[in-house]
PDB file of all heavy atoms in Angstrom:
ATOM      1  N   VAL A  17      -3.746  14.547   0.481  1.00 98.00           N
ATOM      2  CA  VAL A  17      -2.971  13.648   1.333  1.00 98.00           C
ATOM      3  C   VAL A  17      -3.340  12.223   0.954  1.00 98.00           C
ATOM      4  O   VAL A  17      -4.523  11.881   0.902  1.00 98.00           O
ATOM      5  CB  VAL A  17      -3.272  13.874   2.836  1.00 98.00           C
ATOM      6  CG1 VAL A  17      -2.474  12.900   3.684  1.00 98.00           C
ATOM      7  CG2 VAL A  17      -2.971  15.295   3.241  1.00 98.00           C
ATOM      8  N   ASP A  19      -2.542   8.265   1.986  1.00 98.00           N
ATOM      9  CA  ASP A  19      -1.957   7.301   2.909  1.00 98.00           C
ATOM     10  C   ASP A  19      -2.923   6.132   2.999  1.00 98.00           C
ATOM     11  O   ASP A  19      -4.126   6.343   3.161  1.00 98.00           O
ATOM     12  CB  ASP A  19      -1.732   7.916   4.294  1.00 98.00           C
ATOM     13  CG  ASP A  19      -0.774   7.085   5.140  1.00 98.00           C
ATOM     14  OD1 ASP A  19      -1.025   5.865   5.300  1.00 98.00           O
ATOM     15  OD2 ASP A  19       0.222   7.641   5.621  1.00 98.00           O
ATOM     16  N   GLU A  21      -3.189   3.953   5.326  1.00 96.00           N
ATOM     17  CA  GLU A  21      -3.580   3.628   6.699  1.00 96.00           C
ATOM     18  C   GLU A  21      -4.632   4.642   7.143  1.00 96.00           C
ATOM     19  O   GLU A  21      -4.338   5.824   7.347  1.00 96.00           O
ATOM     20  CB  GLU A  21      -2.377   3.654   7.628  1.00 96.00           C
ATOM     21  CG  GLU A  21      -1.388   2.528   7.338  1.00 96.00           C
ATOM     22  CD  GLU A  21      -0.285   2.455   8.365  1.00 96.00           C
ATOM     23  OE1 GLU A  21      -0.584   2.561   9.574  1.00 96.00           O
ATOM     24  OE2 GLU A  21       0.873   2.305   7.949  1.00 96.00           O
ATOM     25  N   ALA A  22      -5.866   4.165   7.288  1.00 96.00           N
ATOM     26  CA  ALA A  22      -7.016   5.034   7.552  1.00 96.00           C
ATOM     27  C   ALA A  22      -6.835   5.932   8.774  1.00 96.00           C
ATOM     28  O   ALA A  22      -7.195   7.105   8.741  1.00 96.00           O
ATOM     29  CB  ALA A  22      -8.293   4.201   7.693  1.00 96.00           C
ATOM     30  N   ILE A  23      -6.278   5.408   9.851  1.00 97.00           N
ATOM     31  CA  ILE A  23      -6.131   6.199  11.078  1.00 97.00           C
ATOM     32  C   ILE A  23      -5.129   7.337  10.885  1.00 97.00           C
ATOM     33  O   ILE A  23      -5.335   8.450  11.360  1.00 97.00           O
ATOM     34  CB  ILE A  23      -5.768   5.310  12.300  1.00 97.00           C
ATOM     35  CG1 ILE A  23      -5.910   6.097  13.596  1.00 97.00           C
ATOM     36  CG2 ILE A  23      -4.380   4.728  12.174  1.00 97.00           C
ATOM     37  CD1 ILE A  23      -7.329   6.282  14.030  1.00 97.00           C
ATOM     38  N   ILE A  24      -4.052   7.068  10.164  1.00 96.00           N
ATOM     39  CA  ILE A  24      -3.065   8.112   9.883  1.00 96.00           C
ATOM     40  C   ILE A  24      -3.674   9.159   8.954  1.00 96.00           C
ATOM     41  O   ILE A  24      -3.522  10.357   9.164  1.00 96.00           O
ATOM     42  CB  ILE A  24      -1.785   7.506   9.274  1.00 96.00           C
ATOM     43  CG1 ILE A  24      -1.077   6.659  10.340  1.00 96.00           C
ATOM     44  CG2 ILE A  24      -0.861   8.595   8.728  1.00 96.00           C
ATOM     45  CD1 ILE A  24       0.097   5.862   9.826  1.00 96.00           C
ATOM     46  N   LEU A  25      -4.400   8.692   7.948  1.00 97.00           N
ATOM     47  CA  LEU A  25      -5.049   9.593   7.000  1.00 97.00           C
ATOM     48  C   LEU A  25      -6.039  10.514   7.710  1.00 97.00           C
ATOM     49  O   LEU A  25      -6.033  11.728   7.487  1.00 97.00           O
ATOM     50  CB  LEU A  25      -5.756   8.774   5.917  1.00 97.00           C
ATOM     51  CG  LEU A  25      -6.341   9.543   4.750  1.00 97.00           C
ATOM     52  CD1 LEU A  25      -5.249  10.270   3.967  1.00 97.00           C
ATOM     53  CD2 LEU A  25      -7.103   8.595   3.826  1.00 97.00           C
ATOM     54  N   ALA A  26      -6.841   9.950   8.592  1.00 98.00           N
ATOM     55  CA  ALA A  26      -7.826  10.755   9.331  1.00 98.00           C
ATOM     56  C   ALA A  26      -7.131  11.794  10.212  1.00 98.00           C
ATOM     57  O   ALA A  26      -7.557  12.955  10.270  1.00 98.00           O
ATOM     58  CB  ALA A  26      -8.722   9.846  10.174  1.00 98.00           C
ATOM     59  N   GLY A  27      -6.066  11.376  10.876  1.00 97.00           N
ATOM     60  CA  GLY A  27      -5.324  12.314  11.721  1.00 97.00           C
ATOM     61  C   GLY A  27      -4.708  13.446  10.916  1.00 97.00           C
ATOM     62  O   GLY A  27      -4.748  14.613  11.335  1.00 97.00           O
ATOM     63  N   MET A  28      -4.142  13.104   9.764  1.00 97.00           N
ATOM     64  CA  MET A  28      -3.544  14.132   8.895  1.00 97.00           C
ATOM     65  C   MET A  28      -4.613  15.113   8.420  1.00 97.00           C
ATOM     66  O   MET A  28      -4.397  16.324   8.407  1.00 97.00           O
ATOM     67  CB  MET A  28      -2.873  13.481   7.686  1.00 97.00           C
ATOM     68  CG  MET A  28      -1.626  12.700   8.014  1.00 97.00           C
ATOM     69  SD  MET A  28      -0.168  13.738   8.097  1.00 97.00           S
ATOM     70  CE  MET A  28       0.097  14.060   6.368  1.00 97.00           C
ATOM     71  N   GLU A  29      -5.764  14.588   8.029  1.00 97.00           N
ATOM     72  CA  GLU A  29      -6.846  15.447   7.544  1.00 97.00           C
ATOM     73  C   GLU A  29      -7.290  16.437   8.621  1.00 97.00           C
ATOM     74  O   GLU A  29      -7.408  17.638   8.371  1.00 97.00           O
ATOM     75  CB  GLU A  29      -8.028  14.588   7.089  1.00 97.00           C
ATOM     76  CG  GLU A  29      -9.174  15.396   6.521  1.00 97.00           C
ATOM     77  CD  GLU A  29     -10.304  14.533   5.998  1.00 97.00           C
ATOM     78  OE1 GLU A  29     -10.416  13.346   6.383  1.00 97.00           O
ATOM     79  OE2 GLU A  29     -11.087  15.058   5.196  1.00 97.00           O
ATOM     80  N   ILE A  30      -7.508  15.949   9.817  1.00 97.00           N
ATOM     81  CA  ILE A  30      -7.929  16.810  10.929  1.00 97.00           C
ATOM     82  C   ILE A  30      -6.865  17.869  11.218  1.00 97.00           C
ATOM     83  O   ILE A  30      -7.175  19.051  11.389  1.00 97.00           O
ATOM     84  CB  ILE A  30      -8.232  15.960  12.185  1.00 97.00           C
ATOM     85  CG1 ILE A  30      -9.495  15.131  11.958  1.00 97.00           C
ATOM     86  CG2 ILE A  30      -8.352  16.839  13.422  1.00 97.00           C
ATOM     87  CD1 ILE A  30      -9.699  14.010  12.967  1.00 97.00           C
ATOM     88  N   MET A  31      -5.605  17.448  11.273  1.00 97.00           N
ATOM     89  CA  MET A  31      -4.514  18.373  11.575  1.00 97.00           C
ATOM     90  C   MET A  31      -4.403  19.455  10.494  1.00 97.00           C
ATOM     91  O   MET A  31      -4.323  20.650  10.804  1.00 97.00           O
ATOM     92  CB  MET A  31      -3.202  17.608  11.696  1.00 97.00           C
ATOM     93  CG  MET A  31      -2.006  18.457  12.084  1.00 97.00           C
ATOM     94  SD  MET A  31      -0.520  17.462  12.372  1.00 97.00           S
ATOM     95  CE  MET A  31      -0.226  16.757  10.751  1.00 97.00           C
ATOM     96  N   LEU A  32      -4.404  19.055   9.226  1.00 97.00           N
ATOM     97  CA  LEU A  32      -4.258  20.029   8.136  1.00 97.00           C
ATOM     98  C   LEU A  32      -5.442  20.993   8.081  1.00 97.00           C
ATOM     99  O   LEU A  32      -5.263  22.189   7.854  1.00 97.00           O
ATOM    100  CB  LEU A  32      -4.087  19.312   6.793  1.00 97.00           C
ATOM    101  CG  LEU A  32      -2.785  18.522   6.644  1.00 97.00           C
ATOM    102  CD1 LEU A  32      -2.807  17.699   5.366  1.00 97.00           C
ATOM    103  CD2 LEU A  32      -1.582  19.438   6.662  1.00 97.00           C
ATOM    104  N   GLU A  33      -6.646  20.481   8.305  1.00 97.00           N
ATOM    105  CA  GLU A  33      -7.821  21.369   8.327  1.00 97.00           C
ATOM    106  C   GLU A  33      -7.732  22.355   9.480  1.00 97.00           C
ATOM    107  O   GLU A  33      -8.120  23.513   9.340  1.00 97.00           O
ATOM    108  CB  GLU A  33      -9.105  20.549   8.395  1.00 97.00           C
ATOM    109  CG  GLU A  33      -9.430  19.889   7.070  1.00 97.00           C
ATOM    110  CD  GLU A  33     -10.665  18.999   7.111  1.00 97.00           C
ATOM    111  OE1 GLU A  33     -11.154  18.673   8.223  1.00 97.00           O
ATOM    112  OE2 GLU A  33     -11.129  18.617   6.020  1.00 97.00           O
ATOM    113  N   SER A  34      -7.192  21.923  10.611  1.00 97.00           N
ATOM    114  CA  SER A  34      -7.058  22.825  11.763  1.00 97.00           C
ATOM    115  C   SER A  34      -6.062  23.947  11.460  1.00 97.00           C
ATOM    116  O   SER A  34      -6.103  25.001  12.089  1.00 97.00           O
ATOM    117  CB  SER A  34      -6.643  22.061  13.027  1.00 97.00           C
ATOM    118  OG  SER A  34      -5.262  21.741  13.012  1.00 97.00           O
ATOM    119  N   TRP A  35      -5.171  23.719  10.495  1.00 96.00           N
ATOM    120  CA  TRP A  35      -4.214  24.738  10.077  1.00 96.00           C
ATOM    121  C   TRP A  35      -4.772  25.646   8.991  1.00 96.00           C
ATOM    122  O   TRP A  35      -4.090  26.534   8.501  1.00 96.00           O
ATOM    123  CB  TRP A  35      -2.928  24.091   9.571  1.00 96.00           C
ATOM    124  CG  TRP A  35      -2.137  23.360  10.604  1.00 96.00           C
ATOM    125  CD1 TRP A  35      -2.200  23.524  11.964  1.00 96.00           C
ATOM    126  CD2 TRP A  35      -1.156  22.352  10.371  1.00 96.00           C
ATOM    127  NE1 TRP A  35      -1.313  22.680  12.581  1.00 96.00           N
ATOM    128  CE2 TRP A  35      -0.650  21.941  11.621  1.00 96.00           C
ATOM    129  CE3 TRP A  35      -0.644  21.756   9.222  1.00 96.00           C
ATOM    130  CZ2 TRP A  35       0.323  20.976  11.763  1.00 96.00           C
ATOM    131  CZ3 TRP A  35       0.331  20.782   9.362  1.00 96.00           C
ATOM    132  CH2 TRP A  35       0.808  20.399  10.625  1.00 96.00           C
ATOM    133  N   VAL A  39      -8.624  20.114   2.449  1.00 97.00           N
ATOM    134  CA  VAL A  39      -7.946  18.824   2.354  1.00 97.00           C
ATOM    135  C   VAL A  39      -8.769  17.811   1.562  1.00 97.00           C
ATOM    136  O   VAL A  39      -9.972  17.682   1.767  1.00 97.00           O
ATOM    137  CB  VAL A  39      -7.669  18.244   3.764  1.00 97.00           C
ATOM    138  CG1 VAL A  39      -6.958  16.896   3.678  1.00 97.00           C
ATOM    139  CG2 VAL A  39      -6.851  19.230   4.597  1.00 97.00           C
ATOM    140  N   ALA A  41      -8.401  13.916   1.386  1.00 97.00           N
ATOM    141  CA  ALA A  41      -7.696  12.791   1.985  1.00 97.00           C
ATOM    142  C   ALA A  41      -8.129  11.519   1.258  1.00 97.00           C
ATOM    143  O   ALA A  41      -9.323  11.272   1.102  1.00 97.00           O
ATOM    144  CB  ALA A  41      -8.035  12.693   3.475  1.00 97.00           C
ATOM    145  N   PRO A 119       4.611  17.728  13.686  1.00 96.00           N
ATOM    146  CA  PRO A 119       3.594  18.533  13.015  1.00 96.00           C
ATOM    147  C   PRO A 119       4.108  19.894  12.526  1.00 96.00           C
ATOM    148  O   PRO A 119       3.822  20.289  11.396  1.00 96.00           O
ATOM    149  CB  PRO A 119       2.503  18.695  14.073  1.00 96.00           C
ATOM    150  CG  PRO A 119       2.627  17.443  14.886  1.00 96.00           C
ATOM    151  CD  PRO A 119       4.118  17.168  14.944  1.00 96.00           C
ATOM    152  N   LEU A 122       6.132  19.433   9.367  1.00 97.00           N
ATOM    153  CA  LEU A 122       5.290  19.146   8.211  1.00 97.00           C
ATOM    154  C   LEU A 122       4.612  20.420   7.709  1.00 97.00           C
ATOM    155  O   LEU A 122       4.596  20.687   6.508  1.00 97.00           O
ATOM    156  CB  LEU A 122       4.234  18.091   8.562  1.00 97.00           C
ATOM    157  CG  LEU A 122       3.296  17.722   7.416  1.00 97.00           C
ATOM    158  CD1 LEU A 122       4.068  17.139   6.237  1.00 97.00           C
ATOM    159  CD2 LEU A 122       2.229  16.744   7.906  1.00 97.00           C
TER     160      LEU A 122
END
Side-chain angles (χ1 to χ4, degrees):
V17 179
D19 197 306
E21 292 187 44
I23 192 76
I24 292 172
L25 187 62
M28 290 276 286
E29 182 177 20
I30 291 165
M31 183 174 64
L32 293 172
E33 286 177 347
S34 77
W35 294 339
V39 180
L122 180 61

